[in-house]
């Protein structure tokens, strides 16, 4: 078997990139069929194939790293850069929605009654469930850091406890936010207030679900002994993402929930 | 965690409350929630059988791969047909 004279990872040929691209085609076309022709089969097919590709692609990365040892320090450095760049791109994504919010709320038009919140809108009290949600996400930031320290100190039981608590807090946030959505006296169709509120908090909620899923996978891998005390980048990436989700919530809370009420 | 089968000359009548000192005797790889199968998996995935990583485990990998391929390729054809039909003008 030929040995490489460099520390990079030359991956095996894989079908997941092209299948992933096809899944994206199916999902986007599926959205069109659903919006315009009230038909949801293509969308369902697209989402299903997207999930299958994600599972198998990330499964293969775990195989390549934990089981085949391809993730040298050089490779890990590249993954760190990649995750930082991805999170930065997500930050810009949210920046757009914050821009939209301030565009409409700093100079409210006569159609809104010249005020913010607009006439007729009763915003949620920021000191009720939203404040609890803030406490929950801040606490989850503490528990994920606790889990990280436990991993580096080879304390398996504590790491599992701390990461489980983090995931539970994330699920608690999602459940509370879902009830808030259900009980809110305004909807996404209630003018620009509804649009900015639900699009910004909605995408944030989606990211909480993504982050919770990522952390759950890390919990499973932690239980299965995949992480060592000095090599656990998958967990670090999940923790970075989770802190990012927390920071976005803090901005949402201060601007939309508190200043905007 | 007094549940690990430690090699011990004590009688088996250990009372749960007195096992706290055993916590420090547990090695780093204790059996809390299952045992470490990573070395076995490392051996499996490093076999020199020429298989790419996405098929390395054999039958379950093949099934999942074929299912995904069927859904994506079949779905792409369905999608192209649907888009072709949607692009036809509908005259009242």
């Amino acid at each position: 078997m030929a040995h490489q004279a460099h520390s990079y990872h030359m991956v095996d040929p894989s079908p997941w990139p092209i299948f992933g691209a096809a899944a994206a085609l199916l999902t986007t076309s599926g959205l069109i069929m659903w919006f315009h022709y009230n038909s949801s089969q293509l969308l369902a097919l697209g989402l299903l194939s997207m999930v299958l590709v994600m599972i198998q692609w990330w499964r293969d990365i775990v195989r390549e790293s934990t089981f085949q040892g391809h993730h040298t320090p050089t490779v890990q450095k590249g993954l760190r850069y990649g995750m930082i760049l991805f999170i930065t791109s997500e930050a810009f994504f949210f920046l757009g929605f914050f821009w939209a919010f301030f565009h409409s709320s700093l100079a409210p038009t006569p159609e809104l009654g010249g005020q913010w919140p607009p006439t007729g809108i009763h915003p949620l009290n920021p000191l009720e469930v939203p404040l609890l949600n803030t406490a929950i996400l801040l606490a989850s930031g503490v528990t994920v850091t606790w889990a990280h320290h436990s991993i580096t100190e080879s304390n398996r039981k504590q790491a599992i406890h701390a990461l489980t608590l983090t995931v539970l807090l994330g699920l608690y946030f999602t459940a509370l936010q879902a009830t808030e959505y259900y009980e809110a006296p305004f909807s996404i169709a209630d003018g620009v207030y509804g649009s900015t509120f639900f699009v910004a908090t909605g995408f944030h909620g989606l990211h909480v679900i993504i982050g919770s899923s990522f952390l759950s996978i890390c919990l499973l891998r932690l239980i299965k002994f995949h992480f060592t005390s000095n090599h656990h980048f998958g967990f670090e990436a999940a923790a970075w993402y989770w802190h990012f989700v927390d920071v976005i919530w803090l901005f949402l809370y201060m601007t939309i929930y508190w200043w905007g009420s | 965690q007094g549940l690990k089968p430690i090699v011990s000359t004590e009688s088996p009548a250990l009372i749960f409350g007195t096992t706290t000192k055993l916590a420090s005797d547990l090695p780093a790889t204790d059996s809390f929630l299952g045992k470490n199968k990573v070395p076995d998996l490392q051996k499996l995935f490093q076999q020199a059988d020429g298989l790419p990583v996405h098929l390395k485990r054999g039958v379950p990998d093949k099934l999942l791969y074929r299912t995904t391929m069927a859904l994506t390729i079949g779905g792409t054809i369905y999608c192209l047909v649907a888009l072709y039909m949607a692009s036809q003008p509908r005259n009242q």
Side-chain angles (χ1 to χ4, degrees), chain A residues 75-174:
Chain A
V75 170
Q76 210 195 104
K77 191 150 164 247
L79 292 171
R80 283 175 191 274
Y81 275 130
M83 194 65 195
I84 296 283
L85 289 170
F86 173 64
I87 291 176
T88 306
S89 76
E90 295 251 78
F92 280 107
F93 178 71
F94 277 98
L95 195 65
F97 296 119
F98 277 105
W99 185 330
F101 169 72
F102 282 116
H103 175 96
S104 297
S105 59
L106 282 168
T109 62
E111 290 87 347
L112 302 173
Q115 61 179 41
W116 193 276
T119 315
I121 295 282
H122 302 284
L124 301 171
N125 186 346
L127 299 175
E128 290 179 2
V129 174
L131 185 61
L132 173 60
N133 273 343
T134 306
I136 288 170
L137 284 186
L138 286 173
S140 69
V142 169
T143 53
V144 79
T145 307
W146 175 24
H148 191 193
H149 283 256
S150 304
I151 291 174
T152 53
E153 289 158 18
S154 301
N155 194 333
R156 174 180 160 78
K157 199 151 68 91
Q158 243 186 58
I160 291 174
H161 284 166
L163 189 49
T164 305
L165 205 47
T166 311
V167 173
L168 288 175
L169 287 168
L171 294 174
Y172 188 26
F173 175 96
T174 304

Side-chain angles (χ1 to χ4, degrees), chain A residues 10 19-21 29 42-43 49-50 56 62 67 88 115 123 131 135 137 156 159 173 181 202 221 230 236 244 250 260:
Chain A
M10 304 304 286
F19 285 172
S29 316
L42 198 53
L43 181 57
S49 49
M50 202 170 81
Q56 292 172 93
V62 170
F67 304 144
T88 306
Q115 61 179 41
L131 185 61
L137 284 186
R156 174 180 160 78
F173 175 96
Y181 269 31
R221 294 186 65 201
N230 56 11
E236 287 182 70
F244 162 72
L250 293 174

